[in-house]
Amino acid sequence: MRLLHTSDWHLGQTLHNHDRTYEHQCFLDWLADTLVQERIDVLLIAGDIFDTANPSSSAQRQLYRFLQQARARVPHLQVVVIAGNHDSPGRLEAPTPLLEAHGTIVVGNVLRRGDGEIDLERLLVPLRDRDGQTAAWCLAVPFLRPGDLPRLRAAEGVDPAEAAPNDPYLHGAALLYRQAHALARERAAAGQAIVAMGHCHMAKSQPSEDSERRIVIGGSEALPVSMFDDSIAYAALGHLHLAQRVGGLEHVRYCGSPLPLSFSEVGYRHQVLRIDLDGARAAAVEPLYVPRPVQLLRVPALPAPLEAALAALEALALDPDLPQQAWPYLEVRVLLDGPEPGLRARIEAVLAGKPVKLAKIEPTRKLVAASDEAEALSLDQLAQLQPDDIFRRLWRQKYGDEAPPEQIESFAELFHAVEGEAR
């Protein structure tokens, strides 16, 4: 049996207010082709399908159109989807009756039975080969919120306060995976693999700079890799946008996002992962690299003074025949001595007529050592300071020089305008 692991599509996401529908569609078209070319039996989508809990209708259409086309091109394909922290579990599960009729299983919520215990059956998905026979089992565990976890009970005769774990979230998440795995072991026949899915932040894993929303749950977020039983053939993870092994284990992996979600990923090659199961184990895990339909540019490569940055922009050689939707995104990195009110206008003037989308201007201030003349002020001295005195002192402290007269005049004008409104 052959699986394909992907996650963190973030359909509907914009990059610095630029629409990315074209890029997402290019990825989904490539993915549909890959399912055919690689002879995939099961597609695992490990959460954050959408960028927000209330996705646009166009983002939802992209997902459902892809699922329909994928099934049409690979009739035996089975798709397993779990909700991520960006997704609305209820919205994701809403079309379940229609999706299940076309081979897609969605697990957005952790539900409880009438007795209050977690419905583990719902988290256990049989994976079928192209002949329709169960060949493996999947623990489809969505992003876990504190209310999704098993209720902890103290052993008989033990004070509950003393039995409480140091970190209830970590303990509860590990317990849920153990309970789901125990059920899978009961169902799995000899030679059938058990695969786990999760959308979480694992300990000792590397996030992508400026790209991920932190998951903070009572001050704890990093789950231990030990929560996956040693007999699990593969753990397909979502949430972190960089592909990586967790704890150095070949079979516990993040596949990463298929598109760059920040300029920190300029030089990173995005991927999905192909997993070949041989009986109860994963025989091979191979990355398949996703083509990048729209490039990211950082100019200059390192922050440079304004004139040097403008010269680098002027020298940009870009393909004039690119369709506008494929124009690269540009981050301009400028090293400044002080405020530059006309910065954007000067950059836009240099870029006029160039096939590029100005996405971000990243100004960096030169570091100024603290003045040796700085001294503490008494309360009486502080009381005598006027607003423009404070402005001058802050300017001198930050830039190591006296504030220009035009800046002082602008500050005075703004201050008086605000003071007038307050009256």
Side-chain angles (χ1 to χ4, degrees), residues 377-387 389-390 393:
L377 298 179
S378 68
L379 292 178
D380 288 339
Q381 290 172 317
L382 285 172
Q384 294 172 12
L385 287 177
Q386 296 299 313
D389 293 326
I390 298 173
R393 292 177 68 91

Side-chain angles (χ1 to χ4, degrees), residues 181-380:
H181 181 262
L183 179 61
R185 289 286 295 269
E186 291 178 8
R187 302 292 169 77
Q192 292 181 347
I194 298 175
V195 174
M197 295 180 72
H199 191 92
C200 50
H201 188 163
M202 303 297 297
K204 300 181 181 179
S205 53
Q206 179 186 359
S208 173
E209 181 184 353
D210 301 327
S211 177
E212 287 132 14
R213 180 188 303 169
R214 286 178 59 83
I215 302 176
V216 179
I217 307 161
S220 175
E221 59 179 297
L223 300 173
V225 71
S226 60
M227 74 179 189
F228 297 117
D229 190 274
D230 291 340
S231 64
I232 285 178
Y234 183 79
L237 302 175
H239 175 57
L240 299 189
H241 298 158
L242 297 181
Q244 56 195 285
R245 299 167 178 82
V246 178
L249 299 176
E250 186 72 15
H251 70 290
V252 182
R253 304 278 282 261
Y254 286 101
C255 60
S257 62
L259 296 182
L261 300 179
S262 80
F263 277 92
S264 66
E265 300 170 34
V266 166
Y268 170 71
R269 296 183 70 190
H270 293 260
Q271 60 186 249
V272 298
L273 293 168
R274 187 191 69 206
I275 304 98
D276 288 324
L277 296 181
D278 181 9
R281 67 184 187 91
V285 180
E286 295 292 336
L288 305 176
Y289 294 102
V290 181
R292 183 173 289 186
V294 177
Q295 299 302 311
L296 298 184
L297 302 177
R298 267 181 160 172
V299 180
L302 295 174
L306 179 55
E307 296 304 324
L310 293 175
L313 294 176
E314 184 69 45
L316 267 180
L318 301 168
D319 183 357
D321 297 325
L322 275 179
Q324 186 170 357
Q325 57 192 2
W327 287 4
Y329 298 112
L330 173 65
E331 178 189 75
V332 181
R333 313 175 83 187
V334 187
L335 187 63
L336 299 177
D337 293 317
E340 185 66 42
L343 179 61
R344 175 169 284 275
R346 294 189 66 181
I347 289 173
E348 288 177 343
V350 171
L351 294 175
K354 291 184 180 291
V356 68
K357 301 171 187 173
L358 177 58
K360 183 181 182 184
I361 299 174
E362 183 67 30
T364 303
R365 308 291 183 192
K366 289 184 178 178
L367 295 177
V368 178
S371 172
D372 293 336
E373 300 177 0
E375 57 182 21
L377 298 179
S378 68
L379 292 178
D380 288 339

Side-chain angles (χ1 to χ4, degrees), residues 16-60:
H16 299 285
N17 296 319
H18 289 279
D19 182 83
R20 309 192 76 183
T21 301
Y22 168 74
E23 294 168 86
H24 282 120
Q25 193 58 54
C26 287
F27 163 67
L28 294 175
D29 291 344
W30 173 86
L31 183 59
D33 291 340
T34 300
L35 293 172
V36 176
Q37 294 165 4
E38 298 293 331
R39 297 174 56 82
I40 301 300
D41 301 307
V42 179
L43 175 64
L44 305 176
I45 309 176
D48 280 358
I49 291 83
F50 297 115
D51 192 55
T52 68
N54 187 27
S56 66
S57 58
S58 61
Q60 293 179 75

Side-chain angles (χ1 to χ4, degrees), residues 5 49 62 110 127 219 249 270:
H5 169 200
I49 291 83
Q62 272 195 315
V110 174
L127 303 181
L249 299 176
H270 293 260

Side-chain angles (χ1 to χ4, degrees), residues 4 51 60 93 109 123 151 167 230 233 238 256-257 286 293 311 373-374 407:
L4 195 70
D51 192 55
Q60 293 179 75
E93 286 189 355
N109 289 293
L123 306 179
R151 297 190 175 107
D167 192 320
D230 291 340
S257 62
E286 295 292 336
E373 300 177 0
Q407 296 293 340

